[in-house]
DNA sequence: CAGATGACAGATTTCAATATCTGTCATCTG
DNA sequence: CAGATGACAGATATTGAAATCTGTCATCTG
């Protein structure tokens, strides 16, 4: 975090903010801290982000987008939609659980950020259900799924698996038996979708 | 809340505690307040409940049990298990949504209490999934459901509908479109269960 | 002159003192 | 003597003064 003479960009501010949030947590991370980490005055940060809330929002979006990108690969694969959907949910669950388990403090930090910015979260959920919709559509096209409205079915499947990706359930993800519960819900959902 | 000369019972303390919680909220409701409302010393309250936590736990359990009892009637009815399960989930969603919508402050109070006592909540969930299991078993017996392990399927159905009964989603229950989302998930679950 | 600065006002947070609460128990009362 | 009491110690919450932060803007600098 040595002050550098590189030009101050939104990206550098974002990276510094992530670091400050990691170190200080959501309550104590201030714009002044971010500016100090970059070796600039806090007024300069406000040139790139209108408010502290906007800065946090950008950080949150970046964090959520990384998950979406990791799952996009599964959607693009060319194989049985049912097992692709199972793998997609398994990957989503694994990714979230890893984040929550590896650095619980950082995960708690992002839970706070997520609670602040419903708009970003809605966009993230729209992203994910969009991916799922593609899988459902593919399944309908191949005749293995029966869904009158793929977007509605995708959203229902996403909602139904909430216990395995919604952060509000994070504390349950380490308990024994959660794997079995996950398998049972995914099996139920896939049975409900099949033609 | 005039001090009466009736004997001090656990029930009267419970009722007074509910009232104090309603008035003061979870953060400011003290054992001293409860004793004052009953016109006794706080030492007397500790004769009936070992700790403040135990008192709150009892109040929480009472609150949760009222929901379980309201649903038990649907389980006992003698008709098509599929529509009975649909009605059961609809009644559960309606009951929770009514509680959250009618008195948001009181609902928030109970959310705090619920967060304090995981054991009571686990028992409540076991109660509810037990009721669901009976419906699933009945469906299997009648040949309309296909479930290798009714308890597992019941739990999966309960988990899958979490968005419509778990308090952590309460703020979404007033949004337009939630009814449609509910119908979609219940339809998916019922399709997944049918023989 | 584009971009950085830091002083400033009002809002928010921190901190330490003060007050209240929890849980215990020796004592009292009917 | 069963059950209620209130004083007490240690833990927790409240409060208000002081410190810090947010967001703006007139000024400065390369």
């Amino acid at each position: 975090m040595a002050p550098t003479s590189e030009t101050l960009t939104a990206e550098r501010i974002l990276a510094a903010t992530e670091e400050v949030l990691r170190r200080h947590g959501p309550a104590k991370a201030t714009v002044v801290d971010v500016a100090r980490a970059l070796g600039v005055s806090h007024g300069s940060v406000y040139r790139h982000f209108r408010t502290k809330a906007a800065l946090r929002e950008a950080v949150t979006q970046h964090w959520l987008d990384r998950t979406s990108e990791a799952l996009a690969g599964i959607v693009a694969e060319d194989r049985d939609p049912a097992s692709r959907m199972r793998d997609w949910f398994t990957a989503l669950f694994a990714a979230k659980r890893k984040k929550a388990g590896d650095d619980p403090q950082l995960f708690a930090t992002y839970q706070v950020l997520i609670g602040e910015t419903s708009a970003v979260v809605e966009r993230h959920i729209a992203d994910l259900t969009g991916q799922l919709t593609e899988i459902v559509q593919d399944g309908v096209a191949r005749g293995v799924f029966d869904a009158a409205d793929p977007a509605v079915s995708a959203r229902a499947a996403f909602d139904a698996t909430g216990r395995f990706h919604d952060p509000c359930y994070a504390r349950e993800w380490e308990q024994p038996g959660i794997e079995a519960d996950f398998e049972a819900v995914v099996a139920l959902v896939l049975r409900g979708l099949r033609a």
Side-chain angles (χ1 to χ4, degrees), chain A:
Chain A
M1 283 310 103
T4 80
S5 54
E6 290 172 52
T7 42
L8 189 60
T9 63
E11 257 183 37
R12 287 187 62 220
I13 294 174
L14 230 75
T17 305
E18 280 177 12
E19 182 57 24
V20 167
L21 279 165
R22 191 188 311 275
R23 286 226 177 118
H24 298 0
K28 292 203 213 162
T30 72
V31 176
V32 170
D33 287 332
V34 173
R36 191 163 28 231
L38 289 163
V40 301
S41 81
H42 76 278
S44 300
V45 173
Y46 280 96
R47 178 163 298 280
H48 292 84
F49 295 92
R50 266 213 305 285
T51 64
K52 183 188 187 182
L55 178 53
R56 285 175 165 236
E57 211 170 290
V59 170
T60 308
Q61 181 145 32
H62 186 228
W63 159 269
L64 292 176
D65 282 353
R66 280 206 296 269
T67 299
S68 304
E69 283 160 24
L71 293 167
I74 294 172
V75 175
E77 287 169 20
D78 182 19
R79 56 193 180 82
D80 173 38
S83 68
R84 207 152 20 117
M85 183 178 287
R86 161 168 268 123
D87 291 348
W88 190 90
F89 278 126
T90 303
L92 178 58
F93 183 27
K96 296 272 182 167
R97 192 157 61 151
K98 185 167 176 6
K99 275 186 182 175
D102 281 2
D103 191 341
Q105 215 164 10
L106 187 62
F107 190 77
T109 292
Y110 277 98
Q111 261 190 280
V112 172
L113 295 193
I114 279 167
E116 289 171 358
T117 64
S118 61
V120 170
V121 175
E122 273 167 36
R123 224 175 310 157
H124 177 61
I125 290 175
D127 268 6
L128 293 179
T129 54
Q131 291 191 8
L132 260 186
T133 301
E134 283 186 53
I135 299 178
V136 173
Q137 276 170 337
D138 192 26
V140 170
R142 297 191 193 201
V144 297
F145 286 162
D146 176 5
D149 184 336
V152 168
S153 293
R155 176 69 204 226
F158 186 78
D159 286 347
T161 52
R163 192 153 99 94
F164 312 103
H165 49 71
D166 197 309
C168 76
Y169 293 106
R171 69 203 159 79
E172 295 180 19
W173 295 342
E174 296 302 329
Q175 283 178 14
I178 190 76
E179 295 278 3
D181 288 355
F182 172 77
E183 292 299 336
V185 169
V186 171
L188 185 68
V189 166
L190 288 174
R191 278 197 52 162
L193 280 171
R194 75 179 172 192

